[in-house]
Amino acid sequence: MSPKTLYDKIWDAHVIERDDDGTCLIYIDRHLVHEVTSAQAFEGLRNAGRKVHAPDKTIAVPDHNVPTTPDRVNGIENEQGRIQVETLEKNALDTGIHYYPVSDIRQGIVHIVGPEQGWTLPGMTVVCGDSHTATHGAFGAIAHGIGTSEVEHVLATQTLIQQKSKNMKVEITGKLATGVTAKDITMAVIGATGTAGGTGHVIEYTGEAIRNLSMEGRMTVCNMAIEGGARAGLIAPDETTFEYVKGRPHAPKGAQWEAALTWWKTLFTDEGATYDKILTIRGEDIAPMVTWGTSPEDALPITASVPAPSDFQDGKVDAVARSLDYMGLTPGTPLAEIKVNTVFIGSCTNGRIEDFREAASILKGRKVADGVRVLIVPGSGLVRLQAEEEGLADIFRDAGAEWRLAGCSMCLAMNPDQLEPGDRCASTSNRNFEGRQGREGRTHLVSPGMAAAAAITGRLTDVREMM
Amino acid sequence: MDKFQKVTGVAAPMPLINIDTDMIIPKLFLKTIKRSGLGVNLFDDMRYNLDRSEKPDFVLNKPAYRKSEIIVAGDNFGCGSSREHAPWALADFGIKCVISTSFADIFFGNCFKNGILPIVLDQAQVDVLMKDAEKGENARMSIDLEAQEITTSDGDVISFNVDAFKKHCLLEGLDDIGLTLVKKQSISAFEETSAQARPWV
């Protein structure tokens, strides 16, 4: 048998039918659902008189619209948002899919809840009407976002019609320097490939620096695979993975655990398997990163300065001019001199316990700069509880930050947590697009440690100066 | 889904690269539980001022392009969020075809599910069409999916590739789900085998 990549192996295990032209019908093991991209799918299903094919493999949780303030128990003030969450609840109860309501301590961002509850397992196919489904690839699963029509397709059939993507390897060799995290890896990769560099590919992240990451860190790396244009990102499962999964509520137990483990241990890229594209970055060369523009590819080390349009070529020249105008930045300004008035720590990229530990290690015993609003939002109710038990929440409050309830929050600002026009934010989220965190708001993507450092100084700051 | 007919219409030039789905339809409009009515908010932040007045410089606000049916776009169109609201908004506005050097994967797939044809061409070809689109309302392009050909306002013909299955579905207005449900027995058989091999799933 010819050598296979990790992606090839998982793909092959899920092909139901393959047409001559390569179009495949693929089985979907887990379907995650949130309120923003599912209502039209359930409606389509109802209108066609169809049923949810596998309710047991379908998990729903509201996250995008939910407020992160304690008064949310009284309901969502915004009428449309409220209707969307109520619609999800009704659809979930009507169809018998698993559901975590806002009042449940397990509620949170769907990409944090899935792994936390053991729904996401190695070797699976995982989809969700949300591009950051790539997060689950950290377990060695094929995980990617789909549109609402495909949500409906999966609900009705538990399958997708797909063409296989190409294989891309991103290797991060060696060890990371102090102050450099998973977020910096993933930003450095996008900085190198561009936002279309992964288009048509599934990325497998490999190398010593990736192996040394915790599951939390691996999820951060895979989460932003989509920002590099890749269909999905994945990492071969190993002892770190198995240890994280073991004992989770929906992970296999007993004999099934042993059987699963046996198969999971075969999930790696065979010696001699080939990739269509390879990128190698030395872990030692990665510095704490920050974005200066309105595309995730606009990423530079914090020690750099704002570039000029003339530093670029082709269509990027005009795009950079537009970005700098939107961002209100002048070429040549050192990134570490850019003042911020808002800091957001949270999201499916950086809303896990390790992220809050990292932020707390910087904020401990320090105060947030005057005039800076700091919003810290856990990715799930369970992450919130753990952070409170570990004393992290007290550190945040003592520093002058707001410690909130779980949800997507200011990552995409569909709930009340939004930037005002002209606000400038150091954010641990994943997208710095125009208007992403609020119309005319300005976003600089950073790691949790970098965000915490910016909170203290009121400007983008090299976290290494604070360690 | 309606069958994809031959399109002849005005093409709007949008040379900006990396036009993301947050630009195509900002999150403010994702709170709907309907598919329809999003056209008025297509490119909302780029199209309207904060007081809701139109930005006259935005291409779709210019008299020549208000009824565009085609967009010729810069590289990596539709990147970012998976929101199908993006093609819903485009379709609701009346856009039937988008031409670029590349598209983000999820957006590309979403277009076909909504009767929009995304066409990938090389840079030189997109440059020709961008110039053609810049001529305004006199520049009416034609897209013939059956023949896989674009005809410029000057009568030049550019052929394009399209996945055979996706082409068939667009031309016939076919619903993927109906097609898959025909394969119900294969799906059941897969589930039975899989329940033995991977009972924990």
Side-chain angles (χ1 to χ4, degrees), chain B residues 116-156:
Chain B
I116 297 173
L117 172 64
I119 299 177
V120 179
L121 297 174
D122 64 32
Q123 188 68 57
Q125 292 170 317
V126 171
D127 289 347
V128 167
L129 295 176
M130 193 69 77
K131 280 218 167 61
D132 199 29
E134 282 163 0
K135 291 179 190 164
E137 63 193 326
N138 295 326
R140 294 168 69 81
M141 277 178 210
S142 277
I143 318 281
D144 185 340
L145 175 56
E146 181 70 60
Q148 297 183 208
E149 282 176 353
I150 303 167
T151 309
T152 68
S153 63
D154 296 331
D156 294 335

Side-chain angles (χ1 to χ4, degrees), chain A residues 290-300 306-307 316 319-320 322-324 326-327 329 335 424 431-434 442-445:
Chain A
V290 55
T291 60
W292 48 268
T294 55
S295 167
E297 70 189 16
D298 301 338
L300 283 172
V306 176
K316 191 69 183 168
V320 169
R322 182 188 168 93
S323 278
L324 294 181
Y326 181 87
M327 293 296 289
L329 293 175
L335 293 171
R424 188 184 293 282
R431 288 191 175 130
N432 51 346
F433 295 158
E434 290 179 18
R442 293 157 171 169
T443 302
H444 295 275
L445 301 177

Side-chain angles (χ1 to χ4, degrees), chain A residues 80-162:
Chain A
Q80 279 189 302
R82 187 177 67 242
I83 291 171
Q84 222 168 35
V85 171
E86 286 170 356
T87 304
L88 178 69
E89 176 148 324
K90 186 174 186 315
N91 286 330
L93 298 177
D94 286 354
T95 57
I97 64 178
H98 299 277
Y99 181 59
Y100 300 100
V102 177
S103 57
D104 192 310
I105 190 63
R106 297 167 294 178
Q107 178 271 341
I109 306 171
V110 67
H111 306 308
I112 293 192
V113 173
E116 202 168 67
Q117 293 302 315
W119 291 115
T120 307
L121 299 171
M124 281 187 160
T125 47
V126 181
V127 297
C128 174
D130 190 292
S131 58
H132 291 111
T133 310
T135 312
H136 308 265
F139 291 80
I142 297 177
H144 59 82
I146 54 178
T148 298
S149 294
E150 288 187 319
V151 169
E152 186 177 337
H153 193 279
V154 177
L155 287 172
T157 67
Q158 204 61 23
T159 68
L160 276 180
I161 301 168
Q162 298 262 289

Side-chain angles (χ1 to χ4, degrees), chain A residues 13-17 19 21 23 25 27 29-30 36-37 39-41 43-44 50 53-54 57 65 78 80-81 83-84 87 121-124 128-131 145-150 152-153 156-159 161 163 165 195-196 198-201 226-227 229-231 250 252 256 259-260 263-264 294-295 297 315-316 318-319 322 412-415 421 431 433-440, chain B residues 1 15-23 26-36 38 43-53 55 58 74-85 87-88 102-110 112-114 123 163-166 169 175-192 194-201:
Chain A
H14 290 83
V15 174
I16 301 168
E17 281 188 12
D19 289 347
D21 70 350
T23 305
L25 188 65
Y27 196 77
D29 293 327
R30 290 285 180 269
V36 178
T37 55
Q40 293 88 343
E43 187 191 31
R50 290 168 179 151
H53 179 83
K57 294 172 180 171
N65 276 289
N78 178 285
Q80 279 189 302
I83 291 171
Q84 222 168 35
T87 304
L121 299 171
M124 281 187 160
C128 174
D130 190 292
S131 58
I146 54 178
T148 298
S149 294
E150 288 187 319
E152 186 177 337
H153 193 279
T157 67
Q158 204 61 23
T159 68
I161 301 168
Q163 291 272 354
S165 301
T195 50
T199 302
H201 293 75
I226 182 71
E227 260 57 68
R231 177 132 204 112
H250 296 280
Q256 282 201 11
W263 186 56
W264 294 345
T294 55
S295 167
E297 70 189 16
K316 191 69 183 168
D318 287 346
R322 182 188 168 93
L412 85 167
M414 273 191 77
N415 77 345
R431 288 191 175 130
F433 295 158
E434 290 179 18
R436 174 77 178 181
Q437 295 190 289
R439 192 164 173 181
E440 296 181 20
Chain B
M1 198 169 74
L16 184 65
I17 62 167
N18 296 335
I19 291 182
D20 57 69
T21 54
D22 274 77
M23 283 180 177
K27 71 234 165 193
L28 185 63
F29 310 103
L30 306 189
K31 289 180 184 288
T32 176
I33 56 169
K34 303 282 174 211
R35 283 181 165 92
S36 55
L38 289 167
F43 296 114
D44 200 84
D45 289 0
M46 300 168 93
R47 200 165 146 201
Y48 304 105
N49 292 305
L50 285 171
D51 66 5
R52 303 306 299 164
S53 60
K55 294 182 179 175
F58 182 65
D75 191 50
N76 197 27
F77 189 83
C79 59
S81 159
S82 62
R83 59 189 69 169
E84 199 161 318
H85 308 68
W88 293 340
S102 80
F103 294 88
D105 282 346
I106 303 175
F107 175 82
F108 188 76
N110 284 344
F112 285 98
K113 316 277 183 195
N114 292 282
Q123 188 68 57
D163 175 83
F165 174 72
K166 291 192 167 89
C169 289
D175 161 18
D176 276 0
I177 300 176
L179 293 174
T180 299
L181 285 172
V182 173
K183 300 177 175 174
K184 216 171 171 176
Q185 279 187 325
S186 302
I187 299 172
S188 300
F190 181 93
E191 284 179 322
E192 278 169 33
S194 178
Q196 301 290 321
R198 301 183 301 135
W200 59 86
V201 172

